[in-house]
Every structure is written in C-alpha cells, then in structure tokens.
Amino acid sequence: MTDLVALQAANANRWAKAKLTRNFTAVAKRLAAPEAKARYQAVSARTGVPWAFIAVAHEREASQNWNTQLGQGDPLGSVSVHVPKGRGPFKTWEDGAYDALVNCAPFAARNKDWSIGGTLTMLEQYNGLGYANKGRPSPYIWSSTDQYVSGKYVRDGVYDPNVVDQQLGCAGLLLAMMQIDSSISWDMTKADAAPKPPPVPKPPPSTPSVTSPAKGSLGAFFVDLFKSILGRK
C-alpha cells in the first residue's frame, strides 16, 4: 500500500524545487480564460474541489475537450469504457465532472487537505499510484518540469522506463496558471489556513499622578526624596 503521507511530502518537496522545461503559457491562458474558469468554478461550487485542480485534470484527461467526461476523457454522451468504467452518459460536461469528483475514486470532493502536497497527491491518485510504488515522479504531475526525466505506463500495467511523456504535467500547469491568475494559490498549509488568534493588546501606559509621577520627572525626584527621609525603600 502506498504511503500517501510520504508521497505528499515528496510532492511538496518537488514543487518547491520545480522549474519548467517547456512553455506552458498558451495552455495555462486557455485553462484560466474567463469562460472556462466560470465553468470550472461552477463545478467547484458544487463539489468543494478547487477550480484550478479541475482545470488541470481536464487538460490531462482530455486536452480540455468539453465533450468528454472528466474522469477518463471518454465521450460525454456514451457509457465510459476506461477507468472509471460504466459512467454516463451525461447531458453536460458539468454533470460528468460532478460525477467524477463526487462518485468516483479517489473521491476528490471528500478531500480535506488542499495544501500543495495534498493537491498534487490527489491528482496523482486520479492517474494511479504505479509511479509512486516504483519511487518515481509521476509524469501526470511532473512532465515538462525538471523533476521528471523519463518513464511512462504505455498501457495498463505496462511500464516503459525509456518513454518520455509528452503531455504537460499538472504541477507545471498550476505553476503557469498562478502567473496568470493571482487568485490561485497552492502554498497554504492547514496551519496557515487556520484563523490566527488576535494579537494580545498591550496595556495602556499608566497616567502619571501625584502618587505615581512619571519616571525622571521633578515629581518623581520629590517622591524618592520623601521616601528616603521616612526610611522607606
């Protein structure tokens, strides 16, 4: 069984170091375009899954084809034959996306950890954990960044270490989209997301009085003098 906590840490570490090795700008602009973003946000509102997560999954599964199912890229109007099998048909892309995120493993709508490690690991689970089980970075996430060199499952259960994935990976897409849309942020951890307690206010400075004059004042001199005469400390 894959250690998902370790995988989250590995993906967060790769994210911190990752550099793009191809130009992601055109695809990132297409995914973040206002009309596309509005459709992703509509599904996000129904599922609780961040819209940018939905966008990059849509790109990887179907090159942002709106006539396909989000879960595996099969035609929207047909019953799916790829995993997840037996889904659909759906009348709209949004309905298919809702089904993929809510009703199909790994059930992204149930995810509570949207830190960058949790986000990338959830995306990786959609593609499968075969790479993680081999100790290799998943091209689904890291293709076209310096965190991935080669290795790809060319079909179910068949891994070729020499094949290089030519699609843009999810991590690079997110990095590029963040440069275009400032509302996207994947650096929040659970601790960062928790409301911070209000600062404890400093007590107001005491107001000088006859019995408690300001330090260094003439009044303070006479009070100290009076105490010394009476033998008080």
Side-chain angles (χ1 to χ4, degrees):
M1 181 179 293
T2 306
D3 184 341
L4 294 180
V5 174
L7 181 57
Q8 289 175 4
N11 278 329
N13 184 55
R14 290 169 182 146
W15 171 270
K17 299 184 293 185
K19 292 181 173 56
L20 306 184
T21 57
R22 288 172 60 189
N23 191 334
F24 283 71
T25 303
V27 177
K29 285 182 177 178
R30 171 164 50 78
L31 294 176
E35 185 175 324
K37 180 178 177 178
R39 298 187 73 171
Y40 295 134
Q41 286 179 316
V43 176
S44 177
R46 295 174 64 191
T47 62
V49 178
W51 74 267
F53 176 105
I54 301 169
V56 299
H58 191 198
E59 178 65 23
R60 278 294 306 198
E61 295 296 337
S63 299
Q64 205 188 21
N65 185 336
W66 297 99
N67 294 311
T68 63
Q69 299 182 35
L70 180 65
Q72 67 303 86
D74 285 352
L76 194 64
S78 303
V79 177
S80 63
V81 296
H82 298 95
V83 178
K85 296 180 180 180
R87 313 309 300 181
F90 300 102
K91 290 184 179 180
T92 67
W93 177 84
E94 286 79 1
D95 288 342
Y98 177 89
D99 179 72
L101 298 169
V102 173
N103 301 321
C104 302
F107 306 103
R110 302 179 190 176
N111 186 40
K112 303 300 182 185
D113 181 3
W114 292 112
S115 66
I116 192 58
T119 297
L120 295 175
T121 298
M122 179 56 64
L123 283 164
E124 187 163 345
Q125 288 179 81
Y126 264 91
N127 182 242
L129 295 172
Y131 299 101
N133 292 333
K134 290 181 176 294
R136 302 291 298 273
S138 168
Y140 191 89
I141 309 300
W142 300 107
S143 179
S144 303
T145 76
D146 61 355
Q147 299 302 300
Y148 169 77
V149 177
S150 65
K152 181 177 174 62
Y153 280 92
V154 293
R155 56 183 180 274
D156 288 347
V158 180
Y159 177 78
D160 189 328
N162 300 310
V163 172
V164 177
D165 192 311
Q166 297 302 311
Q167 281 186 273
L168 300 177
C170 293
L173 288 168
L174 290 174
L175 284 166
M177 289 171 69
M178 288 171 65
Q179 300 301 314
I180 294 166
D181 189 328
S182 61
S183 72
I184 303 171
S185 174
W186 298 93
D187 292 327
M188 286 185 64
T189 63
K190 289 180 179 177
D192 294 330
K196 294 185 171 53
V200 177
K202 294 181 179 179
S206 58
T207 303
S209 65
V210 173
T211 57
S212 181
K215 187 176 181 180
S217 68
L218 185 60
F221 170 78
F222 283 112
V223 168
D224 290 341
L225 179 62
F226 181 70
K227 287 180 179 179
S228 66
I229 293 171
L230 295 178
R232 294 171 55 188
K233 293 182 179 179

